[in-house]
Amino acid sequence: AVTFTAAPQVQALTAAARAHGYLGPVLDGFNQGGVIAACIGPVCAAAARHEGIEQPVIPEHARLGSLATSVGAELAGRRVVLAGTSGPVAVSGRLVAAGGQQLWLTADEQRALRALCVRPGDWVDLRLIERRPGWTVPKLAGALDGAIEVANGSVRVVTA
């Protein structure tokens, strides 16, 4: 999530991205990539829309506390619940909660899990998921209480 408390902040971000040739990827991140653009009020949100951010999050009241609450609510709504062997496994960003236990995923683990959750139930070749030598999806599968199955060099999310 990226929070903006004034229209010039939105304009500065997009100007810098444009100057360095990254405006397209930045806007794609906000509009298609799951990055939240949270604007403190309607003036800021209008600037975001003008710059190409299609759906900024806007709190009911233009206050920092309301902005933080809105971002938290948006993030909570993105939680994924998987079917673990012992019950539900909730994934919210890098935090995994199952059976009263919590686990913080590494960035690689989070990317792998996110990739698997795009098409739950479909088998994916492990080589497409694992990016770093020494890190393995089977380690993640063990930590997620059976919510991920690994067999014959492939992996899948059991249920999402």
Side-chain angles (χ1 to χ4, degrees), residues 71-95:
V71 170
E74 182 71 24
L75 290 171
R78 294 179 179 199
R79 185 178 73 155
V80 174
V81 179
L82 307 174
T85 305
S86 304
V89 177
V91 182
S92 183
R94 290 174 122 176
L95 178 64

Side-chain angles (χ1 to χ4, degrees), residues 105-123:
L105 302 178
T106 66
D108 285 338
E109 291 167 337
Q110 181 189 24
R111 275 191 293 277
L113 187 56
R114 189 178 321 134
L116 292 170
C117 286
V118 170
R119 294 183 7 214
D122 288 356
W123 287 97

Side-chain angles (χ1 to χ4, degrees), residues 81-150:
V81 179
L82 307 174
T85 305
S86 304
V89 177
V91 182
S92 183
R94 290 174 122 176
L95 178 64
V96 175
Q101 302 292 320
Q102 292 186 339
L103 166 72
W104 287 96
L105 302 178
T106 66
D108 285 338
E109 291 167 337
Q110 181 189 24
R111 275 191 293 277
L113 187 56
R114 189 178 321 134
L116 292 170
C117 286
V118 170
R119 294 183 7 214
D122 288 356
W123 287 97
V124 178
D125 188 319
L126 273 172
R127 293 171 295 187
L128 298 175
I129 299 294
E130 295 180 345
R131 297 186 185 254
R132 294 188 180 174
W135 183 83
T136 63
V137 171
K139 288 181 190 174
L140 178 59
L144 294 182
D145 188 34
I148 294 179
E149 290 181 344
V150 180

